[in-house]
Amino acid sequence: MPHLELRAKNLDADHVAHAHDHHQLILATRGATELSIEGRGDRITGSRGCLIPCGRHHDYRGDGRNRTFVLDIPATSLPALRDGEAIGRLFERPRFFAVPPRLNRLAASLMQQLECCPALHSEIAALLLRALYLHLEVEPLPADAGVAASACFSERLDLTRLNAWIDRHLADEIRVEQLAALCALSTGHFHACFRELTGVTPLAHVQRRRLDHARALVTHSGLSLGHIASLVGFRDHGSFSRAYRRRFAISPSRARREGRALPSLGQEHRSRGQAVAPEST
């Protein structure tokens, strides 16, 4: 039996961005996850899945209520699989695909089996992958799949307006389709245009604005770090601290201590004024 790593997970609301050295199948049985692969985005739901080839950068953020299959497929395992060569071709490029009700029902049933009998994860994974291959075999890969739309109406991406809206809603969950609606674009087209215009995905951009605003509050306010985390949309202090450290290479608590060790601009001017006051009278 080839080594296939299958997990049933709840993808939470933390923004995650990475790449890995294996192919990956993402298939949900309930809930939703916003996912973008190198600028092309979609929602993973019970009716929508995706294939991520190894080495492709992607980022995602779940709704915290999903139930999702994550199947890791090392390229070295493909030759041992039935139809392994054809399955390998499914991962030639990133792909989002429709999940019909029958495949969703099978996935839900297999998820129950996996939770009851985790030792059978390799067999369940092989069965799921085989079922997916048979489904996609009759749904040919579009010639332009995984390629960002060439016509990008960047004039419809008013970044000033988008940023103002984002900043007003930092404490809330911000979904990509909300941003796309502000620009009157589909979610996928918005992803492609936004990435082309800014060089980052919408989710990454929102995360940066959350953290940049948090840095100002950390260094220039007396609010507790937990309160700051909630104000900029993090559900707990731990996820906020990890994201802050990844962004600025320093923890928020240390940033606050070091910021307080330096005089503020106003204090510096006041001290200078006090020093020269006797000479000016």
Side-chain angles (χ1 to χ4, degrees):
M1 177 66 63
H3 178 71
L4 301 173
E5 184 64 35
L6 179 66
R7 307 180 299 285
K9 300 184 63 175
N10 180 300
L11 302 177
D12 62 26
D14 288 344
H15 173 256
V16 177
H18 61 199
H20 35 63
D21 60 359
H22 50 263
H23 303 314
Q24 195 168 73
L25 161 68
I26 309 291
L27 196 64
T29 58
R30 70 168 186 262
T33 296
E34 294 174 354
L35 190 144
S36 175
I37 310 171
E38 297 184 344
R40 181 171 183 247
D42 211 326
R43 282 169 64 81
I44 306 303
T45 66
S47 60
R48 198 75 175 156
C50 78
L51 299 168
I52 306 173
C54 63
R56 295 299 187 102
H57 185 273
H58 55 282
D59 57 285
Y60 64 87
R61 182 176 183 177
D63 62 3
R65 300 181 298 276
N66 60 82
R67 200 64 180 149
T68 306
F69 264 139
V70 179
L71 174 58
D72 296 339
I73 309 162
T76 55
S77 297
L78 289 173
L81 289 171
R82 181 181 177 185
D83 300 311
E85 182 177 350
I87 290 172
R89 287 197 295 272
L90 295 178
F91 291 95
E92 288 179 347
R93 63 188 75 187
R95 182 178 186 181
F96 293 94
F97 58 88
V99 177
R102 65 183 182 278
L103 183 58
N104 180 262
R105 290 193 295 269
L106 175 62
S109 175
L110 291 177
M111 188 171 288
Q112 291 180 346
Q113 294 297 320
L114 179 65
E115 291 170 343
C116 291
C117 307
L120 297 177
H121 77 277
S122 292
E123 290 81 358
I124 294 171
L127 179 58
L128 180 64
L129 190 58
R130 173 66 179 166
L132 177 68
Y133 163 70
L134 292 175
H135 164 61
L136 295 181
E137 188 179 39
V138 296
E139 182 187 301
L141 185 66
D144 61 347
V147 179
S150 58
C152 178
F153 301 105
S154 58
E155 67 274 9
R156 293 167 69 176
L157 295 183
D158 185 342
L159 282 179
T160 300
R161 179 168 173 253
L162 283 172
N163 286 338
W165 189 93
I166 291 168
D167 292 348
R168 289 196 302 271
H169 295 84
L170 287 176
D172 307 323
E173 178 185 0
I174 297 176
R175 300 190 303 275
V176 174
E177 63 263 29
Q178 292 173 299
L179 302 177
L182 291 173
C183 302
L185 294 171
S186 69
T187 302
H189 193 189
F190 173 78
H191 259 278
C193 291
F194 194 96
R195 182 65 179 265
E196 181 177 327
L197 184 65
T198 67
V200 298
T201 65
L203 286 176
H205 180 75
V206 169
Q207 184 84 329
R208 287 183 180 182
R209 293 199 74 82
R210 291 188 194 279
L211 292 169
D212 288 346
H213 189 69
R215 180 165 61 172
L217 293 175
V218 166
T219 55
H220 299 297
S221 81
L223 298 174
S224 70
L225 296 181
H227 190 189
I228 291 172
S230 66
L231 287 177
V232 297
F234 287 87
R235 59 194 179 94
D236 57 62
H237 179 264
S239 59
F240 167 63
S241 184
R242 290 190 295 274
Y244 194 101
R245 184 187 292 273
R246 285 195 300 267
R247 176 83 169 96
F248 302 118
I250 188 174
S251 69
S253 56
R254 182 177 174 185
R256 167 160 285 181
R257 288 194 304 270
E258 293 185 357
R260 285 177 174 173
L262 298 173
S264 68
L265 183 61
Q267 290 173 329
E268 185 177 356
H269 280 303
R270 285 195 297 272
S271 63
R272 288 178 179 176
Q274 291 169 355
V276 299
E279 298 179 6
S280 59
T281 57

